[in-house]
Amino acid sequence: MKKGLVLEGGAMRGMFSAGVMDVLMESGIEFDGVVGVSAGAVFGCNYKSKQIGRTIRYNIKYIKDPRYCSFRSLIKTGDMFGADFCYRTIPFELDIFDNETFKNNPLKFYVVATDVNTGKAVYKRVDSADEKGLLYMRASASMPLVSTIINVDGTELLDGGISDSIPLEFFINKGCKKNLVILTQPKDYIKKKNSLIPLMKISLRKYPKLIEAMSNRHILYNKQVKYAEEAEKNGSAFIIRPAEKLPIGRLEKNPETLKTVYELGREEALKNLDKIKEYLK
C-alpha cells in the first residue's frame, strides 16, 4: 500500500471524521487502505462502500431511537448500542449498506479490536460487510462496561481503542508511505487515566491483561499522538483534527449537535483540501 487513511475513534466525536470523509469522497480522493478504530471502523466502512452522507444521515435519523443507543438497551441486552438494530436492521433494512461496492472496491479496509485475554491489538482486514465482517466492526466499537464481549473465530474482543487508538504505525509498517490521519481531539489534548478503572477491575476481573491495558491507555495514547506528529514532520503523515474541543458527548443524543460536529469536520477538510491533495499527489 502507498496511501492510507487512519481513523481514530471517540464514539460520537466520530461525526467530525464523517464530515472530513464526505469532503474527501466528494473530491474524489482515493486511498490504498483505510484503518479504523471503534467509531472510525463503523463509520469508515462507508468510505470503501463510497456512500457519501450515509453516516450523518442514519445517525441523525435514529440517534434518539432506544433500539439504537440507550440505557434500556444496555439493561435488556448488555449493549448500550443495540446490536440487532445497529448491525442488522439499519444496514439491511433502513439505510442499506452497499456491500457490493464495498466488496468490489480494491481499497483494503482494516478494523482494530482488542483481545481481552492478552490486552493486545487485533488487526482484521474486512473484505465484506457480511455477518463476520460486521461482527469485527462491532467488536472494534464495543466499549468496556457498556458492551458485551464479542467472540469472533474463538477470540474474545472489545474496543480497539484500548490497545491502539491511532494505528498509524500499523499502516506505516504495512508500507503506506503517506497517511492522512483524522483525529477527534484538538492539538493541545492530553489524555488522562480513565476514572472508571476501579469499576472495570470489578466487572472485568476475569481479564487482568485487559485491565492492565486500560490502566495504561492514556500513556499509550499520548505517545501515539506524538508519534503521529513526528510522522507529520518527516512526511509520512498529514493530520486533520478539530481546532478546539468538540462540543459533543461520547454518547450524544441531540441530532443538532451531531450535525454541528459533522459540519466542523467538513469545514476543517475544506480548509485543508488543497494541502491534502498536494500531500497525497
Side-chain angles (χ1 to χ4, degrees):
M1 292 189 294
K2 296 181 180 179
K3 294 185 291 185
L5 177 62
V6 180
L7 304 169
E8 181 187 5
M12 286 306 166
R13 292 200 310 271
M15 288 298 107
F16 175 85
S17 303
V20 175
M21 286 189 285
D22 279 353
V23 169
L24 298 178
M25 286 192 281
E26 290 164 1
S27 303
I29 295 176
E30 297 185 351
F31 297 90
D32 299 291
V34 173
V35 58
V37 182
S38 194
V42 295
F43 297 162
C45 62
N46 294 291
Y47 210 99
K48 183 171 167 64
S49 66
K50 301 183 178 182
Q51 290 179 276
I52 298 170
R54 181 174 180 270
T55 298
I56 185 63
R57 182 175 64 240
Y58 78 73
N59 273 281
I60 283 180
K61 189 169 184 178
Y62 300 113
I63 194 61
K64 288 189 174 182
D65 192 315
R67 296 173 296 171
Y68 183 59
C69 177
S70 66
F71 282 102
R72 187 177 84 178
S73 175
L74 178 63
I75 294 168
K76 289 180 65 177
T77 70
D79 290 296
M80 180 75 79
F81 288 87
D84 189 66
F85 189 72
C86 292
Y87 297 98
R88 295 184 186 90
T89 304
I90 289 178
F92 296 121
E93 299 176 20
L94 300 178
D95 198 315
I96 307 299
F97 183 77
D98 187 351
N99 195 32
E100 285 305 307
T101 298
F102 185 91
K103 289 189 293 185
N104 293 326
N105 187 344
L107 178 149
K108 297 174 182 177
F109 181 70
Y110 295 85
V111 302
V112 185
T114 301
D115 185 326
V116 299
N117 291 292
T118 66
K120 303 296 184 182
V122 173
Y123 305 92
K124 177 64 177 178
R125 178 173 163 180
V126 177
D127 296 318
S128 174
D130 54 14
E131 184 176 353
K132 182 177 286 188
L134 288 171
L135 203 55
Y136 271 106
M137 293 184 209
R138 177 185 165 195
S140 180
S142 292
M143 298 180 289
L145 299 181
V146 294
S147 308
T148 55
I149 292 172
I150 309 300
N151 191 312
V152 194
D153 293 331
T155 304
E156 294 180 298
L157 303 170
L158 277 179
D159 185 2
I162 298 169
S163 53
D164 194 351
S165 295
I166 309 168
L168 172 60
E169 187 174 5
F170 168 71
F171 252 20
I172 289 177
N173 290 337
K174 278 283 184 185
C176 284
K177 304 297 184 183
K178 293 187 175 184
N179 298 275
L180 182 63
V181 182
I182 304 179
L183 303 181
T184 58
Q185 296 284 13
K187 186 174 177 60
D188 58 353
Y189 175 75
I190 302 294
K191 194 171 190 64
K192 298 179 180 179
K193 188 170 184 176
N194 194 320
S195 61
L196 296 177
I197 294 298
L199 182 58
M200 293 181 189
K201 286 181 178 180
I202 298 172
S203 63
L204 295 167
R205 59 188 176 277
K206 294 181 180 179
Y207 308 100
K209 293 294 185 181
L210 179 70
I211 293 171
E212 182 182 353
M214 283 296 303
S215 298
N216 295 322
R217 184 185 178 189
H218 63 296
I219 299 172
L220 177 61
Y221 180 88
N222 294 330
K223 286 182 178 178
Q224 288 183 319
V225 171
K226 290 182 179 179
Y227 178 88
E229 291 172 346
E230 287 301 314
E232 188 170 46
K233 291 177 183 177
N234 66 37
S236 55
F238 187 106
I239 301 173
I240 293 287
R241 52 187 163 191
E244 300 176 349
K245 182 179 179 181
L246 294 172
I248 193 169
R250 287 176 61 83
L251 301 176
E252 184 65 55
K253 302 288 286 184
N254 187 332
E256 289 303 316
T257 302
L258 300 186
K259 188 67 163 58
T260 295
V261 172
Y262 169 80
E263 291 296 338
L264 287 172
R266 289 190 61 91
E267 289 172 14
E268 197 65 29
L270 288 168
K271 184 173 70 177
N272 288 278
L273 189 57
D274 288 340
K275 292 179 182 178
I276 293 170
K277 288 179 177 179
E278 181 63 29
Y279 170 71
L280 294 172
K281 188 168 61 177

